Amino acid sequence: MSTEPENPAPGTQHRAPSTALIVFDLDGTLIDSRLDIAESANEVVESYGGAALPIDRVSTMIGEGAQILVERALEAGGLDPAEPEALARFKRIYDRRLLLHTKPYEGIPDALARLTTRATLAVLTNKPEAPTYRLLHVFELDRRFAWVVGGDGAHPRKPDPAGLRYLIETAGSSAERTLYVGDSMIDVETARRAGVDLLVAKYGFGELRGELQLRADEPTVDDSRMLGEKIEAWLSTRL
């Protein structure tokens, strides 16, 4: 099986007849990529003469796109965050390290397989599109999603809600029939700004940022193996 997918055209994956839409964040929600991302950022820091940072510290820097991650890691390492070649260097390193440790969270592939029979599924991530498509393809998750929107695509990165609103419109759904699933406060803000329901994956690494502030009506799931059940319960109120 090839590990280099072509970018799927909108609507070429499975699409359920219902207009209910489930949109997922990627890192920390569907896949556990924390170690590969953090170690790649550390390799960049070390390549400029800095000392590697604790993995948990680098993990708090993840979520707002590769450029911001690299700048934060360099600054934390006592280096110039504006190093002109640092982002390109990170992308090369991360491409090499992409699959060393990364894998879907337990229960996620089975949950997605069940959900495709009941709703339209999509991905909205701040990760660049090339590694996003590659990861989804390698783990055979790409066929579950009708659309994938990455952080370097046509829409501003989260928490700007433009990408989520685009997915709602393209799917022929509505805010009232859309659920956004993510693990960080960035995802929380994205869902709030778009006016959609939210489910927070507390098993992910977004909480390491220490900034989750949820309302009483914003549910969470602590175990990835329970994610499908939580979403199915939400669907039962929408179908």
Side-chain angles (χ1 to χ4, degrees):
M1 179 178 61
S2 171
T3 59
E4 296 294 338
E6 295 181 356
N7 290 2
T12 56
Q13 276 76 14
H14 179 87
R15 184 175 178 182
S18 166
T19 56
L21 175 66
I22 317 296
V23 183
F24 296 88
D25 172 51
L26 183 65
D27 297 298
T29 301
L30 297 177
I31 62 169
D32 184 357
S33 52
R34 184 170 74 104
L35 191 55
D36 285 330
I37 295 173
E39 289 184 346
S40 296
N42 266 335
E43 189 170 331
V44 172
V45 171
E46 290 176 308
S47 75
Y48 284 104
L53 304 165
I55 294 298
D56 282 352
R57 186 176 181 190
V58 182
S59 298
T60 67
M61 305 173 187
I62 299 170
E64 296 181 66
Q67 178 72 58
I68 293 177
L69 167 63
V70 171
E71 290 173 357
R72 287 172 173 167
L74 288 173
E75 186 172 22
L79 302 165
D80 180 3
E83 286 285 354
E85 298 298 320
L87 178 60
R89 188 174 298 188
F90 172 81
K91 288 181 176 180
R92 290 193 299 270
I93 292 168
Y94 185 49
D95 183 67
R96 169 168 48 80
R97 301 186 64 96
L98 187 69
L99 294 160
L100 293 183
H101 306 286
T102 297
K103 61 183 179 180
Y105 285 105
E106 188 175 0
I108 293 299
D110 289 342
L112 295 176
R114 295 196 308 271
L115 290 169
T116 53
T117 67
R118 302 190 62 193
T120 301
L121 309 185
V123 170
L124 175 64
T125 176
N126 281 345
K127 195 183 204 75
E129 290 188 345
T132 294
Y133 282 121
R134 185 177 168 201
L135 285 166
L136 291 174
H137 179 73
V138 166
F139 296 125
E140 300 183 351
L141 301 180
D142 50 349
R143 58 196 173 117
R144 305 301 182 192
F145 299 106
W147 299 280
V148 175
V149 174
D152 57 351
H155 305 282
R157 291 193 301 271
K158 300 178 295 181
D160 191 300
L164 184 49
R165 289 173 176 158
Y166 161 79
L167 289 168
I168 293 169
E169 179 180 358
T170 305
S173 189
S174 65
E176 294 74 22
R177 294 175 65 80
T178 298
L179 177 69
Y180 186 65
V181 186
D183 70 310
S184 72
M185 201 63 202
I186 294 167
D187 299 313
V188 173
E189 290 295 338
T190 303
R192 288 174 180 172
R193 293 184 191 186
V196 306
D197 285 345
L198 169 71
L199 178 59
V200 178
K202 294 191 77 173
Y203 56 81
F205 46 86
E207 196 171 22
L208 290 173
R209 297 167 67 99
E211 59 186 11
L212 277 180
Q213 297 180 10
L214 304 178
R215 302 192 301 249
D217 63 341
E218 293 174 330
T220 64
V221 56
D222 296 321
D223 188 329
S224 62
R225 294 169 297 182
M226 299 300 296
L227 182 65
E229 182 176 317
K230 285 270 192 175
I231 295 174
E232 287 169 356
W234 177 86
L235 279 169
S236 68
T237 69
R238 295 301 187 274
L239 302 180

